[in-house]
Amino acid sequence: MRFVSAANGQPDGRLHLVSRDHRRAVPAAAATTLQAALDDWRRLAPDLQREATALEQGPVAGEVPLAQLHLLAPLPRAWQWLDASAFPSHGELMHKAFGFAATHPEGKPLMYQGVSDRFLGPEEPVPFGDLRDDIDFEGEFGVICDAIPQGADAARCRGHIRLLVQINDWSLRRLGPLEMKSGFGMLQCKPRCSMAPVAVTPDELGERWQQCRIDLPLEIRLNGEVFGRARGGAMAYGFDELLAHAAYSRDLVAGTVLGSGTVANAEWREVGSSCLSERRSIEVIEHGRPLTPYLAFGDRVRMEARDADGAPLFGALDQEVVALDG
C-alpha cells in the first residue's frame, strides 16, 4: 500500500491511497488520517488493503489525479522522531576529518531524539535565519511503526514496522559540535525535517527490503546537479535493531518515526555523498581543507529513491532554502 496526506486545512491532512504509478489517489475510507490508521493498524490494515487493491484494479468512486493534490508530509506530525547514525562509512569519514565520535563507546547504535511536531512537506520552502549556521541537508530513509512495548527485542520490533519513508534531516553544522560538547545533546542544530510525499508498506519494495534495510540508491541533486546516489542497504544495524535500541527504556507509541542517519557507502568516490558535511570531510582528507560551501538562500535540494525498475516509490523531495521571514 502507498499513502499520502493531502492538505485540507487540518494539521494532519486527509489520508489518501495512491496507485503504484503515482497517477491516481482516493481518500481512504477506513481512516481519515495516517495517525488514525497507525493507532489501530491491525484492525484497519485489511480494509485499507482492499481499498488499495480496488484502486489498482481500475477507476473507483472519488478518485482524483495525484498531481491535483497539495501534498503534506505523509505523517505531518508525529509523537516521536528518532534519528540514528547507522552507516559506518559516514561516521568514519566524519571522525577522520573532524574528530567526531564514529561509534558508541559501548558498541550501541548512535541515536538522538529530534523535533517531531511537524514534518515539512515535499515542496515546502525551508526557512533558515542565518547562513553562518552552515546549513546542510542529510538524505535518509526511515520507518514508521505502530505501538511497540518497552523492552521489545529486534524480532518483535520487526513485526511493528508498518511504513517506509524518505527523509531530509536538515542540519546546522556550526551549532552541532557546540551542542554535543555541552553534554546535553542537540537542539538548535536540528530544525524540522522534511518527508517525501509517499509512505509505503514494506512489501512494496519486494527484494529491496532486506534485513530491515532499504537496499535502494537515494539520488540527491543540488541545484540540478547529481550530488550522490548512495545505497541504503549498508546500515550497520537494521531498522528492527534500531527500534529495539530505542524501546529499551520506553514504549514507542504508534506513529514513531525512526531515521537511518545519512545514507553513505564506503564507495563514496563512485556514488557520492548524501550531505555536504561528508563531502567536506572527504575534501579535508584529500586536500587539507573543505572546498564545497554549505547551502545559501536560493539553493534547491532534490532527493528521490525509485524502485529497482526505476518506477516511483516515495516521490520526490524538492525544496528551496529560503531566508526566514521577519
Side-chain angles (χ1 to χ4, degrees), residues 207-264:
E207 295 180 355
R208 297 303 176 179
W209 176 242
Q210 296 185 358
Q211 299 180 313
C212 290
R213 294 160 170 84
I214 298 174
D215 187 25
L216 290 170
L218 176 56
E219 182 180 273
I220 299 176
R221 291 179 178 265
L222 176 57
N223 296 324
E225 298 295 324
V226 175
F227 191 87
R229 291 195 180 102
R231 298 187 68 91
M235 295 167 65
Y237 304 91
F239 281 109
D240 53 347
E241 297 169 295
L242 295 175
L243 286 168
H245 174 76
Y248 176 82
S249 60
R250 67 181 76 180
D251 295 329
L252 301 183
V253 298
T256 294
V257 185
L258 189 147
S260 64
T262 306
V263 177

Side-chain angles (χ1 to χ4, degrees), residues 91-144:
E92 291 162 5
L93 282 170
M94 300 292 281
H95 177 70
K96 183 179 287 188
F98 302 115
F100 294 163
T103 58
H104 191 286
E106 297 181 7
K108 299 178 180 179
L110 294 173
M111 191 177 295
Y112 77 92
Q113 184 167 342
V115 60
S116 64
D117 64 299
R118 188 165 79 87
F119 285 89
L120 300 177
E123 296 182 352
E124 190 172 352
V126 187
F128 293 99
D130 193 337
L131 293 179
R132 292 173 295 181
D133 287 335
D134 297 340
I135 304 163
D136 199 357
F137 54 83
E138 293 189 63
E140 305 191 10
F141 292 115
V143 300
I144 305 177

